[in-house]
Amino acid sequence: MTTKPPVPKIAYAVLNAATLSPFDHDGWCQVMPAGHVRARDGRPETPAEGWLINEAAFNRMVARVVALNQPVKIDYNHQTLFKPEAAPAAGFVPATPARFRWDDNTGVWVKPDWNPPALEHLKNNEFPYFSPVMGYDARSGEPLELRMLAITGDPGLTGMRPVAALSAEYLYQALTVSPSSPKEPAMNPSLNALLAALGLTVPEGGELTDEIATTALSAVTTLKSQADKAAALETTMAALSADLNALKTQAPTVAVDLRRYVPVETYNAVREQVVSLSADLGKTTLAQTLDQAEQDGRILKSERAYLETLGDQIGVAALSAQLATRQPIAALTRVQTETLMLPPQHREKTATVALSAEELQAARVLGMTPAAFQKIKTEDAL
């Protein structure tokens, strides 16, 4: 954190009056000459050669007027110092740099706005002199402020008292504590209000620090960036809304060919029906395929459950291809019968028993003839 320089203690002095020529020089009036000046009471003691009025001093005084944002009052015979309740203004110098001018040869000039009564007095040469009240640093003697101005008819008098009798303390009290002349604000009220809106505060009587100023600038920059983005978004949304409205009102230029396009609701309904029918067809085709294979003697009844599951997994086409490679078993395509002759002791039990397709397949696998398989079956039955 930077260390702020000490706040100067301001003292005030009424300077020697200059001849006033308000109607010459396009309204510009000389206030202070360039070079060293003194008050009518002999001040200052420091610096001994007097206050130095140069361009740097001029710039300080103008900057202070602009910062306070208060016009410089011009009264009659410095009445504000003695009778503030009866001190009408003869005019004002607006708080803008355009109304102040520096000349290296002649010093400080101002361009006042005169009130109509003052113009009459000036035309009648009733107040031919201009007397400034200057604020200066009591320690260094550096000129700081053009506090006010007065038009006067007697360069040796301010009101009813001689200028020499006005002490620095009296002027300080008159210009800073007088009930009709309120104490100068530590900072421009508008700036205080702006800082408060940003959530920043400066203590009463305090000054704006570098930290507060940096924080305020950052907040303002952020707000401006957000405002710019919001403005850009509003512009984009307005353009999109305009396009949408145009599309809503625009009639279609090409009619829809219903021979090539259908409503999406119709398409979805048909698609669901096709899916359902395809599933049913798949089941029907699998059953038909297995029935045909069984009739051809390519599969056994005991295989059907297994082949149904396999068909669901690999599909009817793949299953059909596998079944086509199997050789039909002729014995499975018909019912075969054979009369078996039993031993004499069992002739009464002679019967014709038909072997099933599975039994015939089992006999073939075991390498037995149907008669031998039937014999074993009959013996087991006995």
Side-chain angles (χ1 to χ4, degrees):
M1 180 183 294
T2 59
T3 302
K4 295 187 295 183
V7 178
K9 178 182 178 181
I10 299 180
Y12 294 93
V14 178
L15 302 184
N16 290 335
T19 301
L20 178 60
S21 301
F23 305 109
D24 299 333
H25 310 290
D26 194 25
W28 288 91
C29 303
Q30 184 185 17
V31 175
M32 301 179 191
H36 292 89
V37 298
R38 289 182 175 276
R40 294 296 297 272
D41 60 3
R43 284 180 291 145
E45 295 180 359
T46 303
E49 63 274 16
W51 296 296
L52 176 60
I53 306 300
N54 58 12
E55 188 171 5
F58 165 79
N59 290 334
R60 284 193 299 271
M61 289 189 285
V62 174
R64 186 172 180 85
V65 171
V66 174
L68 291 176
N69 196 28
Q70 295 177 351
V72 178
K73 180 182 178 181
I74 305 172
D75 68 4
Y76 299 90
N77 290 323
H78 291 293
Q79 289 180 359
T80 303
L81 302 177
F82 306 102
K83 296 183 294 182
E85 68 282 357
F92 296 90
V93 180
T96 171
R99 293 300 188 96
F100 296 83
R101 189 173 70 189
W102 169 256
D103 186 274
D104 290 336
N105 296 319
T106 56
V108 179
W109 293 71
V110 297
K111 189 174 185 178
D113 289 334
W114 299 103
N115 291 333
L119 286 174
E120 290 299 320
H121 293 306
L122 293 172
K123 288 179 182 178
N124 296 330
N125 202 29
E126 297 175 32
F127 297 95
Y129 301 102
F130 218 173
S131 178
V133 177
M134 183 188 74
Y136 62 96
D137 188 331
R139 299 182 181 89
S140 65
E142 184 178 71
L144 299 175
E145 177 185 8
L146 178 59
R147 182 62 180 82
M148 65 173 53
L149 295 164
I151 57 174
T152 178
D154 183 354
L157 296 176
T158 56
M160 298 301 295
R161 301 175 61 183
V163 175
L166 297 179
S167 66
E169 182 63 24
Y170 180 89
L171 287 175
Y172 180 80
Q173 292 294 329
L175 294 175
T176 59
V177 188
S178 172
S180 64
S181 181
K183 184 177 180 180
E184 296 176 9
M187 191 166 52
N188 189 310
S190 298
L191 180 57
N192 255 332
L194 175 61
L195 293 175
L198 295 174
L200 303 171
T201 57
V202 177
E204 186 175 356
E207 294 185 358
L208 180 64
T209 63
D210 292 342
E211 289 79 6
I212 295 178
T214 300
T215 303
L217 179 60
S218 176
V220 170
T221 302
T222 300
L223 289 174
K224 186 178 184 304
S225 175
Q226 293 174 346
D228 291 343
K229 291 180 180 178
L233 182 59
E234 289 181 359
T235 301
T236 302
M237 291 299 296
L240 292 176
S241 297
D243 293 343
L244 179 60
N245 292 332
L247 290 174
K248 287 181 178 179
T249 57
Q250 182 179 1
T253 56
V254 179
V256 177
D257 188 353
L258 296 180
R259 296 171 300 176
R260 299 177 59 191
Y261 304 101
V262 296
V264 65
E265 294 82 1
T266 303
Y267 167 78
N268 289 335
V270 172
R271 183 177 181 278
E272 292 177 0
Q273 293 178 7
V274 170
V275 170
S276 176
L277 291 174
S278 296
D280 294 341
L281 179 62
K283 293 180 180 178
T284 301
T285 304
L286 177 60
Q288 292 174 349
T289 300
L290 293 178
D291 289 345
Q292 185 64 43
E294 188 174 349
Q295 292 176 8
D296 294 343
R298 297 179 188 277
I299 64 172
L300 302 175
K301 287 186 178 294
S302 59
E303 294 181 286
R304 188 175 182 103
Y306 161 74
L307 293 174
E308 287 177 350
T309 302
L310 180 62
D312 289 338
Q313 293 179 358
I314 66 176
V316 176
L319 180 62
S320 297
Q322 291 187 11
L323 296 179
T325 61
R326 290 189 178 189
Q327 294 297 325
I329 301 175
L332 297 181
T333 62
R334 64 183 181 275
V335 176
Q336 296 194 9
T337 60
E338 184 176 354
T339 302
L340 300 177
M341 300 300 295
L342 298 178
Q345 63 271 24
H346 298 298
R347 290 185 186 276
E348 65 277 8
K349 297 181 179 180
T350 301
T352 300
V353 181
L355 295 178
S356 66
E358 287 83 356
E359 291 171 336
L360 291 173
Q361 176 67 12
R364 183 178 66 80
V365 172
L366 295 173
M368 301 173 63
T369 64
F373 186 86
Q374 180 66 45
K375 181 180 179 180
I376 293 174
K377 178 180 177 182
T378 302
E379 292 175 351
D380 290 339
L382 297 175

